[in-house]
Amino acid sequence: MNVYLVNPSHVSFGTSVITPRWLYVLAAATPASFGDPIPVDETLSPVDPSRIQRGDIVGIGIHTGNALRGYQIGKLARQRGAYVIFGGIHATLYPEEALSLGGAHAVVKGDGDVVWATVLEDCRRGAPEPIYSGGRVEASDFVPARWDLVPRNRYMWASVQTVRGCPKHCSFCSVWRTDGQHPRQPASDMIMEEIVQLRRLGFRYIALADDNFYSVTLTDLQLASRHGDTRRLEELKALRAERFELMARLALLPSDTVFFTQITMEAAEDPAFLDAMRQANIKGALVGVESVTPEGLKDVYKSFNLAGPGLVDRLRAFRIHDIHVLGSFIFGLPSDRPETFAATAEVAQSADLTFAQFVTLTPFPGTIDFSRWEKTMESDPRRIEGIPLTRHWLIPQALRPKIFSPHPAMSSEEIRLRTQSVWERFYSLGFIWKRSRFLKSLRGRLTFILISKIYRQMYADTGIATDSARIARSTRWARWLAKPCRALFSARPMPGLQVPKPVTIDVPVRFLQVEGSCHVK
Ligand code: B12
Ligand code: SF4
């Protein structure tokens, strides 16, 4: 009996950007008595159904974008007599769908780290339950990934997680609802062991698959202090101290290690934190800028971001600390107007961003935006292949429309075209060349141009492309460039590398003026 873990994708490139972390976490959560699970990442190559035998167990992890392909695989595997188990964010939100359309015997809702072993045992007994609640496991129960099973020389970046959950509540995001608002940070020992294992294997680019690396803000500390909430204050200070301790240990790794994370722009308030990031070789971060207007920020419940000149200063603060920013912007917010596009392009250009992405507001399941949109669509009779637009992920890929939230002042086509023109402008040769000036050598600058163009091209699939011809063109382009690009990211394996020892640190804390007294030390 084999255990297969399948990451579905309708396109395969032979090579991929980031390791799908869940594959290697669930592999590690598989008890030894089941043997080594077989990870299959379809972004590399499609699953071969003929290898699946009666009695095998096939675990399939889905997000909304790859759910339909996951269901195809589930049905195929079930026809071949395997037990089929679904998990992942989409299965967590729509367990019934995987059971009725994906051939699932069982669905795991939430984290798989702990419950996976029970599911496997139940399958072995021939009695899986339809639904398992994995819940939100404590950070101390996070399972470190089994990187010994990762195929060699296929990925540019590996992925390690240092925090699950985010205290914010942005309207377009499902993370705070599924992963919760309490940051769960595993001990630095586990994180360091994984990273060292990856360096031993020849990875030096590591994406931190974090929801929000800046888990505690100075405002959080200030509020807890002001409310006299000592317990909360101590908890927050401990979380903050853990961040600094982790970063101090990351700084002890070989200096050519490159980390990339996701973070709110609030971190710009905290130079000590940015300094620690620089020392830890966190060279880049995705920052959700979302909107350059106060109204836009309000639309998405993100008023903790800044707009106007303060915004440019905040973004530049990262660059001043040598942290490159991938700025993420959303178009199609209710308060957006035609002039918002040019204003956004201007900010993206003047804020020293290294890369930027411009996405259109998409109502993802599990979000506040989705619930609202679903309600407004109740009376919409439109169907594609009999499927209502509110279940767009079930529409075959070739016919699937790009979903736009209805806008009070612009048509979807206008939003699409204007978004496209901002992409074209930001990634025009002249602007990329200008942005590459932080690199000294001509070779470095030319490589930067190549990477910028690849990024822009690859993004066409998940970002703004709407017609299948364009997606096919982008896919061909990306496939052609993927291999040479991967070579840029490969590194010499370091089999002898040891895990840096724990460090004791003094957590730098700016004194906060709280109604005349300084509470936080
Ligand atoms: C890192 C990350 C990325 C990275 C890397 C993706 C990759 N290849 O791994 C990048 C930046 C490339 C990325 C891109 C995108 N992402 Co993303 N990403 C994340 C993030 C922050 C962490 C994912 C992760 O690795 N977690 C660590 C692993 C261990 O956790 P996990 O995947 O949840 O798996 C656990 C459980 O779900 C469960 N489980 C998972 N699978 C299975 C399977 C079985 C059988 C079982 C039993 C259990 C199980 O057990 C696991 C261990 O507990 C999540 C947020 C989140 N908190 O999930 C968003 C998230 C998954 N991304 C999201 C989105 C929207 C995207 C994009 C579409 C963004 C865009 N507009 O382009 C693209 C899509 C890319 C693609 N085609 O896959 C959404 C998905 C929403 C949805 N309903 O589908 C999320 C939830 C963020 C959000 N804002 O809401 N992403
Ligand atoms: S978008 Fe970012 S900051 Fe907002 S809730 Fe999601 S993870 Fe948190």
Side-chain angles (χ1 to χ4, degrees), residues 5 7 18-22 25-26 58-66 85-90 92-93 108 110-113 115-116 119 137 159 161 164-165 172-175 178-179 208-211 262 286 357 359 364-365 367 459 462-463:
L5 297 170
N7 187 48
I18 306 183
T19 51
R21 180 168 171 78
W22 78 266
V25 169
L26 271 229
V58 179
I60 304 170
I62 50 172
H63 55 82
T64 299
N66 68 2
I85 321 295
F86 276 82
I89 170 110
H90 193 80
T92 298
L93 295 167
V108 170
D111 295 338
D113 308 51
V115 81
W116 181 233
V119 180
V137 302
S159 47
Q161 198 172 37
R164 266 185 222 178
F172 56 87
C173 176
S174 55
V175 160
T178 51
D179 279 359
L208 303 179
D210 299 331
D211 294 324
Q262 315 201 87
L286 184 147
Q357 62 184 33
V359 300
F364 273 103
T367 64
Y459 215 89
T462 51

Side-chain angles (χ1 to χ4, degrees), residues 51 319 330 447:
R51 292 183 59 190
R319 221 15 217 285
I330 304 179
T447 308

